[in-house]
Amino acid sequence: TLSLSFESSLIQSCMSLADPDELVLDYTRAMMAFLLLNPAPKSVLMIGLGGGALHKYIHKHLPETDLTTVEINPGVIELRQDFCIPPDDERSRIVCADGAAFLAKPTHQFDIILVDGFTGEGIPDALCSPGFYRRVKAALTPQGVMVANVQADTEQTRDIMKRVGRVFDGAALSFESDEGGNDIVLAGQREALVRCCQAFDARWAALPSVHQATLAACSTRLQRALLKGFSVA
C-alpha cells in the first residue's frame, strides 16, 4: 500500500498498489452511502482530495457523473500521479482552492457534496462552522445530499451534528464507519431520507454489485440510522 499522512501518524489516505481504484479505508467506503439515496448523481463536489480514493472510485464507477474535487494544498495535488489519480478531463477536475471559499461562490448546484477535509490536527474550523454548512445546503440541488467524514465520539463531532441538524431542519443522521474511528454524517431533504428508509431493501437490490460490495459492511448501520429517525413521514 501507499499511504498519505499530514504532520502526524494519522493516515489520511491509503492506496492498494495492486488495485489503485479500491477503497481501502473503511470510512471511504461508508461515504459512498449516498448511492442509496441517489445511485446516479449528475454532479458531485468533493472538498478534500487526500490520496484521491473517492475521486478515483467515482470517476471509474459513475461514468455519467460530473466530478469536481477541491483541494487547498497544492502539495497534495502534486502527488496525484503517485496515487494514480486520472488527469482532468471533460467530466472531472481537481481545483486548487479553499473549499469553504469555493462554496461561497459555487460554479453551480450539486447533487452530492462530500466533505472530507482534514489537517494534521483534525477538521479545520472553516469546514465545520454553521456558516459552512449553510453554504453547503445552498450549493445542493433540491434533492441534494451532503456526506461528511468526522472523527467518532468527540466533542467536535457532537457539535457538528447539532449544527448540521439545525441547518438541515433535522434531516440529518450519522453512522459509524466499518471499523469505527470515524462517523459518517449524512444530511439532505427530509422527504428524500424518508423515501430511502421506506424503500431501502429495493434500493439495495437495485445497486450494481460493485457498489453492494463497497457498502456491504456499513449498510445495516445506515439502515438502522434511517429507521431511527425517518421511518415515518
Side-chain angles (χ1 to χ4, degrees):
T1 59
L2 179 66
S3 299
L4 177 67
S5 297
F6 299 138
E7 303 169 357
S8 74
S9 60
L10 184 67
I11 294 177
Q12 302 289 339
S13 192
C14 185
M15 180 183 76
S16 166
L17 296 175
D19 184 1
D21 295 323
E22 178 188 1
L23 291 178
V24 175
L25 297 182
D26 57 300
Y27 87 84
T28 59
R29 296 190 293 271
M31 286 189 76
M32 292 301 300
F34 70 78
L35 290 167
L36 283 156
L37 283 97
N38 187 344
K42 294 181 180 179
S43 59
V44 171
L45 171 66
M46 184 167 177
I47 305 297
L49 173 65
L54 285 165
H55 185 97
K56 288 185 293 183
Y57 186 93
I58 293 169
H59 185 271
K60 179 177 181 178
H61 296 296
L62 296 175
E64 302 301 317
T65 298
D66 185 86
L67 172 62
T68 301
T69 297
V70 178
E71 170 58 50
I72 194 172
N73 189 337
V76 171
I77 298 175
E78 289 174 3
L79 295 172
R80 65 185 300 168
Q81 289 187 326
D82 298 82
F83 283 91
C84 303
I85 300 170
D88 291 359
D89 55 34
E90 62 181 12
R91 65 182 182 86
S92 70
R93 65 214 56 86
I94 295 171
V95 178
C96 187
D98 180 303
F102 183 90
L103 276 171
K105 295 182 179 180
T107 53
H108 55 279
Q109 287 188 306
F110 300 87
D111 293 323
I112 306 293
I113 295 180
L114 305 174
V115 184
D116 188 25
F118 279 79
T119 67
E121 299 177 349
I123 304 174
D125 292 342
L127 296 183
C128 62
S129 69
F132 173 76
Y133 293 120
R134 286 193 292 269
R135 290 191 290 272
V136 168
K137 185 179 181 181
L140 286 169
T141 57
Q143 297 292 322
V145 176
M146 180 198 78
V147 184
N149 173 40
V150 300
Q151 292 172 301
D153 195 27
T154 68
E155 189 64 34
Q156 183 188 46
T157 296
R158 287 185 280 274
D159 288 340
I160 285 173
M161 280 304 301
K162 292 175 183 176
R163 294 167 192 167
V164 173
R166 285 194 291 267
V167 169
F168 285 86
D169 301 317
L173 60 84
S174 68
F175 61 97
E176 274 193 331
S177 59
D178 305 353
E179 299 170 11
N182 295 76
D183 279 348
I184 306 304
V185 178
L186 190 152
Q189 187 190 61
R190 175 170 293 275
E191 289 77 7
L193 294 174
V194 170
R195 287 195 299 271
C196 183
C197 180
Q198 293 173 337
F200 191 91
D201 291 340
R203 292 186 180 205
W204 175 263
L207 280 181
S209 59
V210 63
H211 298 323
Q212 288 184 344
T214 295
L215 297 175
C218 72
S219 61
T220 300
R221 287 189 298 278
L222 171 60
Q223 186 176 28
R224 191 181 301 126
L226 284 165
L227 286 169
K228 183 178 180 180
F230 304 98
S231 58
V232 178

